Amino acid sequence: MASSVKLGSKPDAFRRQGQAWFCTTGLPSDVTVEVGDMSFHLHKFPLLSKSAFLERLIEETSHQEECVIRLNDIPGGAMSFELVARFCYGVKIDLSSENVVYLRCASEYLQMTEEIAEDNLIAQSEIFLNQVVIRSWKDSLKALETCEDLLPHAEDLQIVKRCIESLASKATTDPNLFGWPIREHGIMQSPGGSVLWNGISTGARPRNFSSNWWYEDASLLCFPMYKRLISTMESRGIRPEIIAGSLTYYAKKYLPGLNRRHSMGAVPLTATLSEVEQKNLLEEIDRLLPVQKGLASTRVLLGLLRTAMILKASSTCIANLEKRIGMQLDHATLEDLLLPNFSYTMETLYNVECVQRILDHFLAMDQANGGASPCLDDVMASPSLAPITTVAKLIDGYLAEIAPDINLKLPKFQALASAVPEYARPLDDGLYRAIDIYLKAHSWLSEAEREQLCRLMDCQKLSLEACTHAAQNERLPLRVVVQVLFFEQLQLRTSIAGCLLVSDNLEGSRPLRSGIATSGEAGGWATAVRENQVLKVGMDNMRMRLLELEKECSNMRQEIQKLGRGKSSGWTSRVPKKFNLKLKSQMCSAQEGSVSEQQKSMSAKLDKLQAKATCVECSGLSSLRWSFPMFECSENEIVYLRMRV
């Protein structure tokens, strides 16, 4: 509840009849004051004893039979003069933040100075303004609201300036330090702390407030007053993100277009503005928004841009919003980026040109910040490249959404897709999906146009899943399908070679460009490295087992030679040309001749031992075959694999 001071001590002696006020003092009225369509039937002496202006007017009409004074220019109109008349008669009135500006402006107009009477209305209202209203947040706010109806009088008396400076100083200071009574937030909590209020310990403490505690209160002001408040806060050094938050809150409250698509916070909608007023408000908010990146959310900026297009805001406003969005495009979502086309031509369903301009702003900023064209390894590893890879993924998703539009021309689609740098896409799966959707929706494209469209993607940067899909895709040109099949086989060969040639220090190794990727993300290489580690451990175990078997075979061969009968046969082994064929076991046998029963028994034992060694070897190679089912090795590669084992 607002603070107030009582003036006067007499009981109420005024009554209203229709459009006329009468003073019931028992004496007949000798002066009529007309303010607008309201008439006040009063007495000369109480009025001229307080107001020099009324005294002069009464003297000028003294020669007339009936004294009638017209005050059509008095600030606040009939409401202000009613309060002034009550003050002149000494009737009780409550001086509050709701009426003090009316009384101060009216008293100045009527020249109610101390020279006319002691403790006159000018002095009384000034004291209340300076000692009560200006010291309180809620009273200053309410007084500033009433100033909207009293311009330029309130401006001339510096009331607007004083209220704004009071609000700005309080908004830029933590309210917890002083426990200001704030509108709807000023409830004190006790016990649990102590707050000094005018030097007195109250034994209570205010609630903890965030930096946005004043947003709702400030949004009650008309925009000219609000704009001056924001400008004063900026001059006092308030943080830009707080200013941006307040402007966002104000925009949500008075621009219904921001709340139609998204629930953007619990902001009470006060949509009483016409379309022209909303357009002017949006352009003003755009001029007031700080230019730093990230102060306003990308969703809010895209909402402002969408509303600006609907309200047909100026091209400067739209261009500024596009630049702001381009600065932080990596924080946008696909849903927000789908801006409808509000042009009269309705050439396409979505505003592709606008998204193209936003992307150009982002890429220009990225280059200005030192962006380059790094190799794929750097794209995967460098966190500084995360924004542009995020934008590339966003644009690929956007292309997939707009691809079904039959009115979307091929040059527009190509221009947007090719605008993303090649290094920003670790994998081209998203781009392939968008191209496939476009080909499906535009089945009338010629073979040359299809090939031109497919040149946007790099077949070497497709994952195994995408390669499998593309190899069976009838919409793709035959040349592209052949390339996909070729690079698919090359990718498999490179992958298995990487598995076999991985060094002992896997942490220091670098991933191959077309390494295994199971998810279309750069993290697929980490999965491949882990699989290589498991495979290496298995191969090491297999190598140890083979060494043990060879040692056992050597010992048995020495025992046979000691018998002196027969000549032991050499060991032979053979590896099949393809992994998907069973490896035939190679026998370790003795030469044909005269052999005793003991030699036959020993030969059979050797046969079993060699078969066991062959099975172990086959098992290790089969694990590789299981990991890469479409891979085929040449005979030289098999020999190399056996040498590695």
Side-chain angles (χ1 to χ4, degrees):
M1 185 175 181
S3 303
S4 64
V5 172
K6 292 188 180 297
L7 300 179
S9 57
K10 297 179 181 179
D12 191 2
F14 284 79
R15 61 182 177 84
R16 179 176 177 175
Q17 293 180 358
Q19 294 297 103
W21 281 94
F22 296 90
C23 182
T24 59
T25 59
L27 298 175
S29 173
D30 56 2
V31 63
T32 301
V33 181
E34 294 181 353
V35 183
D37 57 354
M38 188 69 69
S39 299
F40 294 84
H41 301 274
L42 306 173
H43 303 86
K44 294 180 180 179
F45 181 75
L47 298 180
L48 60 86
S49 65
K50 296 289 185 180
S51 170
F53 183 76
L54 292 176
E55 180 183 11
R56 185 170 61 252
L57 292 179
I58 290 172
E59 288 179 357
E60 292 174 356
T61 58
S62 59
H63 63 279
Q64 298 179 4
E65 182 178 350
E66 189 174 342
C67 183
V68 178
I69 299 173
R70 292 178 176 83
L71 299 176
N72 295 324
D73 298 330
I74 185 172
M79 185 192 76
S80 292
F81 187 76
E82 178 198 344
L83 294 173
V84 170
R86 290 175 183 273
F87 175 81
C88 292
Y89 278 85
V91 175
K92 291 180 181 179
I93 62 173
D94 288 331
L95 189 59
S96 65
S97 57
E98 286 88 350
N99 60 27
V100 65
V101 182
Y102 288 96
L103 288 172
R104 178 65 185 89
C105 294
S107 64
E108 186 71 21
Y109 176 84
L110 296 172
Q111 301 173 11
M112 302 176 71
T113 63
E114 293 295 295
E115 298 175 356
I116 302 297
E118 189 178 355
D119 293 334
N120 212 344
L121 189 55
I122 290 180
Q124 295 279 15
S125 56
E126 274 293 332
I127 291 173
F128 185 77
L129 273 171
N130 294 328
Q131 296 186 0
V132 178
V133 174
I134 300 303
R135 294 184 179 184
S136 168
W137 166 270
K138 61 183 181 63
D139 289 334
S140 298
L141 187 69
K142 189 60 183 178
L144 187 58
E145 289 181 56
T146 59
C147 289
E148 300 169 5
D149 301 327
L150 296 168
L151 297 174
H153 303 283
E155 193 72 67
D156 295 337
L157 295 172
Q158 302 292 310
I159 299 176
V160 175
K161 181 180 179 181
R162 284 183 282 173
C163 290
I164 286 178
E165 289 182 348
S166 172
L167 293 172
S169 64
K170 292 174 174 59
T172 54
T173 308
D174 186 359
N176 294 314
L177 299 178
F178 304 102
W180 287 319
I182 303 169
R183 180 194 299 261
E184 296 183 4
H185 303 294
I187 300 176
M188 307 295 285
Q189 294 180 344
S190 181
S194 178
V195 171
L196 291 180
W197 180 260
N198 292 336
I200 302 173
S201 178
T202 62
R205 65 179 181 181
R207 295 174 180 172
N208 292 324
F209 300 101
S210 60
S211 58
N212 63 353
W213 61 267
W214 55 273
Y215 287 2
E216 182 178 355
D217 291 340
S219 69
L220 299 175
L221 299 172
C222 68
F223 190 76
M225 294 294 183
Y226 174 79
K227 181 179 178 180
R228 289 186 58 179
L229 176 62
I230 292 298
S231 300
T232 304
M233 288 181 177
E234 285 182 322
S235 66
R236 288 177 173 267
I238 193 170
R239 298 198 306 273
E241 58 268 23
I242 298 179
I243 295 294
S246 178
L247 288 167
T248 299
Y249 190 98
Y250 198 94
K252 292 176 183 178
K253 189 168 185 176
Y254 293 99
L255 296 176
L258 291 179
N259 297 297
R260 289 174 182 168
R261 186 178 179 88
H262 301 288
S263 176
M264 303 173 66
V267 179
L269 186 62
T270 311
T272 58
L273 305 179
S274 64
E275 287 192 4
V276 175
E277 291 173 329
Q278 291 182 44
K279 171 189 170 185
N280 295 334
L281 173 61
L282 194 151
E283 292 174 352
E284 288 287 344
I285 288 177
D286 170 64
R287 282 190 283 268
L288 287 174
L289 271 175
V291 296
Q292 290 93 329
K293 174 183 176 181
L295 298 183
S297 69
T298 311
R299 166 167 289 191
V300 170
L301 292 176
L302 283 165
L304 288 173
L305 179 58
R306 185 184 300 107
T307 305
M309 293 176 177
I310 295 174
L311 297 174
K312 297 179 176 61
S314 66
S315 57
T316 302
C317 175
I318 292 177
N320 288 339
L321 290 171
E322 289 176 351
K323 290 180 181 178
R324 294 179 189 274
I325 297 168
M327 292 172 63
Q328 51 196 63
L329 182 59
D330 52 310
H331 296 289
T333 62
L334 177 58
E335 183 182 7
D336 295 325
L337 204 61
L338 294 173
L339 299 169
N341 195 343
F342 296 106
S343 65
Y344 294 108
T345 58
M346 290 297 291
E347 188 175 328
T348 55
L349 181 62
Y350 296 107
N351 197 332
V352 183
E353 293 87 352
C354 178
V355 175
Q356 178 79 60
R357 292 192 295 269
I358 292 173
L359 177 60
D360 292 340
H361 289 311
F362 174 83
L363 295 175
M365 182 197 68
D366 182 69
Q367 291 296 324
N369 292 337
S373 300
C375 64
L376 186 63
D377 301 342
D378 298 332
V379 174
M380 291 179 174
S382 175
S384 63
L385 293 171
I388 196 167
T389 55
T390 301
V391 168
K393 185 176 180 181
L394 176 66
I395 295 300
D396 289 346
Y398 180 80
L399 289 169
E401 288 292 330
I402 66 175
D405 187 358
I406 59 174
N407 294 323
L408 180 61
K409 304 301 182 183
L410 180 60
K412 282 188 178 182
F413 185 91
Q414 287 178 304
L416 185 58
S418 60
V420 179
E422 182 182 356
Y423 68 85
R425 292 187 177 104
L427 291 174
D428 276 6
D429 287 15
L431 182 59
Y432 165 67
R433 174 174 173 266
I435 292 174
D436 185 42
I437 295 174
Y438 189 87
L439 291 175
K440 184 177 181 181
H442 301 76
S443 56
W444 57 84
L445 293 178
S446 64
E447 187 73 11
E449 290 174 327
R450 291 172 181 268
E451 289 187 2
Q452 182 182 3
L453 179 61
C454 291
R455 291 194 192 103
L456 293 171
M457 64 178 179
D458 186 353
C459 296
Q460 299 183 69
K461 292 165 64 176
L462 295 178
S463 67
L464 291 177
E465 291 84 356
C467 286
T468 303
H469 185 278
Q472 306 174 31
N473 193 342
E474 298 179 353
R475 290 183 287 271
L476 297 180
L478 181 59
R479 183 189 300 271
V480 177
V481 175
V482 172
Q483 289 180 354
V484 169
L485 290 172
F486 172 77
F487 288 118
E488 181 183 23
Q489 291 296 320
L490 182 62
Q491 185 182 69
L492 288 170
R493 288 176 178 268
T494 307
S495 299
I496 194 169
C499 293
L500 295 174
L501 296 174
V502 65
S503 64
D504 292 336
N505 186 7
L506 290 175
E507 290 76 7
S509 65
R510 293 167 59 96
L512 296 175
R513 175 174 179 176
S514 55
I516 300 175
T518 59
S519 62
E521 301 289 339
W525 175 252
T527 303
V529 170
R530 289 194 297 270
E531 292 177 354
N532 291 343
Q533 290 175 327
V534 175
L535 183 60
K536 183 176 180 297
V537 172
M539 293 175 66
D540 289 341
N541 293 336
M542 181 177 65
R543 185 183 297 111
M544 295 300 297
R545 293 167 64 188
L546 284 173
L547 290 175
E548 293 176 358
L549 290 172
E550 288 176 359
K551 183 177 180 181
E552 187 175 352
C553 288
S554 177
N555 293 336
M556 296 180 67
R557 185 184 297 110
Q558 292 176 3
E559 292 180 8
I560 294 175
Q561 290 175 351
K562 289 179 181 180
L563 296 176
R565 296 182 182 180
K567 193 174 182 180
S568 59
S569 64
W571 291 90
T572 59
S573 60
R574 179 174 59 91
V575 181
K577 291 183 180 180
K578 300 188 181 295
F579 286 143
N580 56 349
L581 296 178
K582 281 190 175 182
L583 294 171
K584 296 182 179 180
S585 61
Q586 191 162 13
M587 310 299 293
C588 178
S589 60
Q591 281 188 337
E592 295 294 335
S594 175
V595 183
S596 65
E597 291 298 328
Q598 184 179 5
Q599 289 174 318
K600 290 181 180 180
S601 175
M602 185 64 68
S603 178
K605 186 174 182 179
L606 283 173
D607 290 343
K608 292 180 181 180
L609 185 59
Q610 179 63 23
K612 184 177 180 181
T614 304
C615 290
V616 171
E617 198 172 47
C618 182
S619 174
L621 295 176
S622 296
S623 65
L624 296 178
R625 175 67 184 91
W626 182 257
S627 300
F628 308 101
M630 299 181 65
F631 182 80
E632 295 182 358
C633 293
S634 64
E635 188 169 357
N636 291 334
E637 290 170 331
I638 295 298
V639 173
Y640 173 73
L641 292 178
R642 180 167 178 79
M643 291 173 63
R644 290 287 298 172
V645 174

